[in-house]
Amino acid sequence: KNEVEQSPQNLTAQEGEFITINCSYSVGISALHWLQQHPGGGIVSLFMLSSGKKKHGRLIATINIQEKHSSLHITASHPRDSAVYICAVPLSGGGADGLTFGKGTHLIIQP
Amino acid sequence: NAGVTQTPKFQVLKTGQSMTLQCAQDMNHNSMYWYRQDPGMGLRLIYYSASEGTTDKGEVPNGYNVSRLNKREFSLRLESAAPSQTSVYFCASITSGGNNEQFFGPGTRLTVL
């Protein structure tokens, strides 16, 4: 079973700061997912990536398959970015048998 | 296009009571999943259905049963609820395989007294 570690668990920053959240996993995978969850809210998929880098607006996700490591970056952070960010990978490396998740990074952006 | 829907949104049960959580998706997805989310634990897979007509256990299946009623619907049943099943339950779906985006329902907050 794949194991996922995220860091930091909690992060408080000022508006405008550059944010980095890290994720490492134990077993080779076909793709890694970054998810966002607002307080009391549902879960939204931000990225799914299997190599290199993806960018959506101010969010950038990178993955290094050899090192089994991914990072999520937020540029010019804003209070509306405050949420829990969750990294997830396939339970057994690939296939349709579901995801295993990190415990999440609770991000607070202060104005 | 409603995506993934779940009912109910909230439920309070007494120990020993039974209930069924309903999930439906209108995206013609093959695979569907039930997860539970507990503080400090992250999300964990309870059961999944890789395709219509199949179901398999996930990481934490004890105390639960599932039914893949058709391609759209995947229900989760608690036969005799226990306080340890107090959690937020999320249903999710993907098109096929593990390389596609997961779409999550809004969640069901269940409290077992």
Side-chain angles (χ1 to χ4, degrees), chain A residues 9-105:
Chain A
Q9 286 188 320
N10 297 284
L11 179 57
T12 299
Q14 296 298 121
E15 183 174 356
E17 285 188 36
F18 182 82
I19 303 298
T20 296
I21 299 169
N22 295 301
C23 174
S24 60
Y25 52 92
S26 59
V27 176
I29 58 169
S30 49
L32 179 142
H33 301 250
W34 280 104
L35 309 165
Q36 181 191 56
Q37 184 175 28
H38 280 102
I43 300 169
V44 175
S45 178
L46 296 175
F47 293 101
M48 187 182 64
L49 65 166
S50 54
S51 65
K53 177 174 156 178
K54 284 191 175 180
K55 184 175 188 288
H56 290 157
R58 294 179 296 102
L59 272 59
I60 304 166
T62 64
I63 189 167
N64 185 318
I65 295 292
Q66 286 72 31
E67 294 187 5
K68 297 187 180 66
H69 181 269
S70 176
S71 294
L72 177 68
H73 305 285
I74 305 174
T75 62
S77 59
H78 189 275
R80 65 175 173 267
D81 297 325
S82 298
V84 177
Y85 292 84
I86 303 168
C87 170
V89 299
L91 257 172
S92 59
D97 56 351
L99 298 178
T100 184
F101 299 78
K103 293 182 180 179
T105 295

Side-chain angles (χ1 to χ4, degrees), chain B residues 25-101:
Chain B
Q25 51 87 14
D26 61 2
M27 296 172 283
N28 201 35
H29 287 171
N30 292 324
S31 303
M32 298 185 73
Y33 306 84
W34 277 105
Y35 297 99
R36 59 178 289 173
Q37 185 177 39
D38 302 294
M41 297 288 293
L43 285 138
R44 292 178 293 169
L45 179 67
I46 306 170
Y47 268 94
Y48 67 99
S49 172
S51 61
E52 187 179 355
T54 69
T55 60
D56 283 287
K57 295 179 181 179
E59 300 172 273
V60 288
N62 291 345
Y64 304 96
N65 285 303
V66 290
S67 296
R68 184 73 182 266
L69 304 168
N70 47 55
K71 193 170 186 179
R72 289 188 63 247
E73 298 173 287
F74 187 37
S75 63
L76 179 71
R77 182 158 178 85
L78 286 69
E79 291 291 351
S80 179
S84 60
Q85 294 177 305
T86 294
S87 188
V88 181
Y89 292 85
F90 287 96
C91 178
S93 68
I94 61 171
T95 50
S96 63
N99 293 345
N100 294 306
E101 180 182 359

